[in-house]
Amino acid sequence: MTWTPSRALRRLTVATALATYLLVVMGGVVRVSGSGLGCGDRDQWPLCHGGLLPPLERTALIEFTHRWVAAIATGLVIALAVVVWTRYRNVRWLRNGATAIVVLFIAQIVLGAITVEFNLPSGVIMIHLANALLLLGALVWIAVTTATAGSARARPSLGTVRLAGVAVAATYVLALSGALVVDQGAGAACAGWPLCGNGFQFSAGRFADINLLHRVVAAIVVLLLGYSMVKMRRARPGDRALRLATLSVTLLIVAQVAAGALLVDQHLPAAVRGIHLALASALWACVVVSAVIARGVTSTEVAGGTRLDRSLAARVAAS
């Protein structure tokens, strides 16, 4: 008995991934704009300054929007888990993936509560973002795998598949190095770009070292991503989805580098910091998309697990 995901399930997975992306971005906007208490202290939740609607103030509107995005994302994650556990519980990878997403989401809520309760303690911001990216990556993986289930894409070479995995890991490390800069308050430690000082001097001091470390990691990861995207695209030149995904990664890399330089040049304005975070999250998601597609969807999901159907197995063996 083969498994074919319904159109409703595919749409639900995509909607949940998009809502989670917006939640990650809005969380960053709240942080960089100083809007964490835009609706008053935590005792007023779910009200905003004592009312059901926020006042027409920037911080209140930002925080209130963040709350609504969080509510929508929570509802979608719950809906996805319920649908999978009730209708697709025999599809092992999907059931396990939905369970992992629920665990990550609960952890995200707990970390968010700790962040508010203890007024942004050092280390928690970084862990909070690290968990958020894992959650987003898991949802993107499920969305892409579900959308491409049953397609006849053949796997590329083992080396290319491994390179895709390295690209995902490297992008995650890059995001964590950026989170470390935010966590330590080292964003303004290097006044120049691409290095510190006047732009061509090395760092001086611990905070500048952290900032420069992020830039060195970024340079290495950019080169690695450029190489890996070319290799994946060449592995299946006729795959339109993979071509679009790798092109998106390339464009996001360029945009992210430009945003990073502008961030330094403009002395860390909140708007550019928000854009920088949004681009970083989008880059992470697109790298995951590229890696999932590059691995090839060569199997048909069946009740109790995954196996190759005969016709597709023959294609893989012949390739």
Side-chain angles (χ1 to χ4, degrees):
M1 177 180 175
T2 60
W3 171 73
T4 302
S6 67
R7 180 178 298 180
L9 177 63
R10 291 177 175 177
R11 289 177 175 175
L12 180 58
T13 59
V14 172
T16 308
L18 288 174
T20 303
Y21 169 75
L22 291 177
L23 179 59
V24 173
V25 172
M26 281 306 304
V29 171
V30 168
R31 185 171 65 248
V32 301
S33 64
S35 302
L37 297 177
C39 281
D41 59 47
R42 59 183 179 273
D43 295 332
Q44 293 193 34
W45 191 93
L47 301 179
C48 190
H49 289 296
L52 294 176
L53 295 176
L56 296 179
E57 299 173 357
R58 183 177 64 91
T59 57
L61 291 171
I62 290 174
E63 171 59 15
F64 194 74
T65 302
H66 175 244
R67 290 183 181 183
W68 271 102
V69 173
I72 293 171
T74 300
L76 288 171
V77 167
I78 293 174
L80 178 61
V82 170
V83 169
V84 170
W85 290 338
T86 57
R87 296 188 58 187
Y88 300 97
R89 59 183 176 274
N90 291 327
V91 184
R92 186 166 56 242
W93 73 266
L94 185 58
R95 183 186 68 241
N96 292 342
T99 302
I101 284 169
V102 171
V103 172
L104 288 170
F105 201 85
I106 293 174
Q108 191 69 3
I109 293 173
V110 172
L111 288 169
I114 293 174
T115 300
V116 174
E117 181 70 25
F118 296 98
N119 194 24
L120 303 177
S122 180
V124 175
I125 293 176
M126 186 173 176
I127 297 172
H128 194 230
L129 180 59
N131 189 78
L133 292 178
L134 286 178
L135 174 62
L136 177 59
L139 283 165
V140 169
W141 165 65
I142 285 184
V144 177
T145 305
T146 302
T148 55
S151 65
R153 290 188 180 92
R155 289 185 187 274
S157 66
L158 181 60
T160 303
V161 173
R162 288 176 176 172
L163 185 60
V166 171
V168 171
T171 306
Y172 188 67
V173 171
L174 173 59
L176 292 186
S177 70
L180 179 63
V181 172
V182 176
D183 182 78
Q184 296 297 311
C190 282
W193 191 89
L195 300 178
C196 294
N198 61 6
F200 297 97
Q201 296 175 354
F202 286 102
S203 61
R206 184 174 70 89
F207 292 122
D209 288 340
I210 293 173
N211 195 307
L212 188 59
L213 173 64
H214 171 59
R215 299 184 188 188
V216 172
V217 171
I220 295 172
V221 173
V222 163
L223 293 175
L224 176 61
L225 286 179
Y227 173 74
S228 61
M229 293 303 114
V230 170
K231 289 287 290 184
M232 284 190 281
R233 189 160 56 243
R234 288 180 177 177
R236 288 210 304 271
D239 193 326
R240 183 172 179 271
L242 182 59
R243 185 170 65 252
L244 289 175
T246 54
L247 176 61
S248 297
V249 170
T250 303
L251 293 176
L252 285 168
I253 289 173
V254 175
Q256 185 70 331
V257 171
L262 183 63
L263 197 62
V264 176
D265 183 68
Q266 297 298 315
H267 306 293
L268 307 177
V272 180
R273 291 171 69 189
I275 292 172
H276 194 56
L277 174 62
L279 290 172
S281 301
L283 177 62
W284 161 249
C286 285
V287 171
V288 174
V289 170
S290 300
V292 174
I293 297 176
R295 287 180 61 85
V297 184
T298 58
S299 60
T300 301
E301 304 296 338
V302 295
T306 305
R307 70 181 182 188
L308 288 172
D309 64 30
R310 294 180 180 178
S311 62
L312 197 51
R315 295 184 188 183
V316 175
S319 59

